[in-house]
Amino acid sequence: MDSITQAVLGASVQGALLGRWQGRKALLYGALLGTLPDMDVVLDYGDAVADMTYHRGFSHSLLVLSVFSVLLAWAVRRFRPHLQYSGVRLWFCIWLVLTTHVLLDAFTTYGTQLFWPLTTPPVAISSIFIIDPVYSLPLLLAVMAGLITGLKKRTGLRLQYAALAFSGLYLASTLAGKQMADHRLAQALDNAGIQSQATFTSPTPFNTVLWRVVAVDGDDYYEGLVSWFDRQPVQLERLPRHASAAQPLLQDSPQHQRLRWFTGDLLRYDLIDDQWVVTDLRLGMTGYHPFRFALATVGPNGQDAELVEFAELWPAPSAELRALTSLRRRALDEHYPISLASLAEPLTLPPTLP
């Protein structure tokens, strides 16, 4: 999730557990601790693909954070003792602030390596968008109220409990939306006789009413939208993927292999200005995907390819606010026309100069 959400989640958790003794400082300590796992973004792993796929790695490992929470609790207890609450309570608070961060991240689409150092694929439940006001605003309001009223009175503490309960229940409710989207996609694929290699569903930006569904089938992928209010079957649009042309040329690319593992092979390939550009189809919205990489340059014969040694982010198409308005209308009206093929057209074009 976004940094503000992680900060207010950490603040609210620590406020609820230690605010009775630490007062407003609990909110500050929790906010700082709640953003700590994301500090790995300052590390340079070598290139843009490595930076993407190693983020949410060791710093988001449940094993690493559990050990770290014990060490941090010991250090705090050793050098800043507070005899009014136990060391176990302090450790549990630190552990909960850290683990709620990574577990919330696991509900998003990006991919969180909860079980690092195991090489299992990242966990990406994909039931909540990376920014969701319904989840974040109650926590933000509770933290702001706690800063104003203090936490040593019952009102401030109860607000933290209420906000955490509401946001937690809302997060759990997103799993129902995920199940609905998965079920509707499976029905659509069965009706169309499509045997997909991989499927993917996620909410569209800033809501959990309208969902994006994707199915990969060789050189094509199918994409559609489904809302809680829809009554008609999902309409899938067929989009080109060009896997058979690109993958043989990229078979020796370590970046390509890393991306296939990290994304579950939900990738699109486009030959743009003699470069094979690989797009992570999971993140963002149709046509506006933030993680794109040029991994090879094609020779004059169209067959030979020179692999890129250090990949850089390919400039993503600019997102239009008008598209968000269209998605809102589509969420409420299944007959509102949105052409996903048209939205995806910018993926085939060279980047525009600033």
Side-chain angles (χ1 to χ4, degrees):
M1 295 291 280
D2 62 283
S3 296
I4 293 177
T5 298
Q6 294 291 12
V8 295
L9 174 60
S12 192
V13 169
Q14 182 144 349
L17 288 175
L18 295 181
R20 185 181 307 168
W21 302 279
Q22 293 180 342
R24 293 179 177 88
K25 290 182 180 180
L27 300 174
L28 175 61
Y29 298 152
L32 293 174
L33 191 59
T35 57
L36 186 61
D38 282 340
M39 291 299 101
D40 68 326
V41 296
V42 304
L43 300 176
D44 183 358
Y45 291 103
D47 70 359
V49 170
D51 289 342
M52 172 195 174
T53 58
Y54 284 97
H55 175 48
R56 295 193 185 178
F58 75 93
S59 67
H60 285 60
S61 165
L62 291 173
L63 173 62
V64 170
L65 293 179
S66 294
V67 173
F68 177 75
S69 67
V70 172
L71 296 176
L72 183 57
W74 174 85
V76 173
R77 197 71 175 173
R78 173 70 174 80
F79 298 105
R80 295 292 299 272
H82 198 303
L83 300 180
Q84 290 183 297
Y85 55 84
S86 68
V88 172
R89 189 181 189 92
L90 174 64
W91 162 78
F92 181 68
C93 176
I94 293 173
W95 179 82
L96 197 60
V97 170
L98 293 172
T99 55
T100 52
H101 174 121
V102 300
L103 292 174
L104 177 58
D105 276 347
F107 276 80
T108 68
T109 298
Y110 189 95
T112 306
Q113 297 171 55
L114 295 178
F115 307 111
W116 188 95
L118 299 180
T119 58
T120 53
V123 178
I125 298 171
S126 301
S127 68
I128 191 170
F129 193 68
I130 195 170
I131 300 174
D132 191 317
V134 178
Y135 180 87
S136 304
L137 280 178
L139 295 170
L140 177 61
L141 293 174
V143 169
M144 292 176 63
L147 289 172
I148 294 171
T149 65
L151 295 178
K152 294 187 178 182
K153 297 180 180 180
R154 290 185 178 181
T155 301
L157 288 175
R158 286 174 177 173
L159 286 173
Q160 309 312 311
Y161 301 148
L164 289 168
F166 178 87
S167 294
L169 289 172
Y170 174 73
L171 183 62
S173 75
T174 66
L175 297 176
K178 177 75 172 179
Q179 185 177 28
M180 178 274 296
D182 287 345
H183 177 68
R184 298 292 297 277
L185 174 59
Q187 283 184 324
L189 294 174
D190 186 58
N191 292 339
I194 299 171
Q195 299 291 327
S196 62
Q197 300 167 217
T199 60
F200 168 75
T201 60
S202 70
T204 55
F206 314 128
N207 77 104
T208 55
V209 176
L210 182 66
W211 291 69
R212 175 172 166 254
V213 298
V214 179
V216 171
D217 181 23
D219 276 339
D220 301 303
Y221 68 100
Y222 298 84
E223 191 160 343
L225 295 171
V226 59
S227 167
W228 272 109
F229 299 107
D230 288 358
R231 293 295 177 265
Q232 302 298 320
V234 180
Q235 299 299 312
L236 296 175
E237 295 188 46
R238 184 177 178 180
L239 300 170
R241 184 168 173 257
H242 310 300
S244 62
Q247 287 182 351
L249 300 177
L250 297 173
Q251 62 181 347
D252 295 325
S253 167
Q255 293 99 331
H256 181 233
Q257 297 305 318
R258 182 79 182 174
L259 283 172
R260 294 187 71 178
W261 168 78
F262 191 78
T263 66
D265 225 11
L266 287 156
L267 299 171
R268 167 179 171 143
Y269 307 85
D270 292 283
L271 186 60
I272 305 174
D273 289 344
D274 297 324
Q275 296 183 85
W276 276 112
V277 178
V278 182
T279 300
D280 181 352
L281 289 172
R282 304 168 306 143
L283 300 172
M285 182 57 198
T286 311
Y288 307 102
H289 303 293
F291 291 103
R292 311 185 72 204
F293 311 92
L295 297 187
T297 301
V298 178
N301 61 4
Q303 297 297 319
D304 298 328
E306 181 179 353
L307 298 178
V308 172
E309 185 176 0
F310 300 104
E312 297 181 357
L313 269 178
W314 185 268
S318 300
E320 297 182 10
L321 294 178
R322 182 175 53 186
L324 293 178
T325 302
S326 297
L327 291 176
R328 178 177 58 81
R329 295 184 63 179
R330 170 61 185 84
L332 302 176
D333 180 5
E334 63 182 315
H335 301 294
Y336 182 79
I338 291 182
S339 172
L340 298 179
S342 297
L343 290 179
E345 284 179 1
L347 297 178
T348 67
L349 304 176
T352 56
L353 296 177

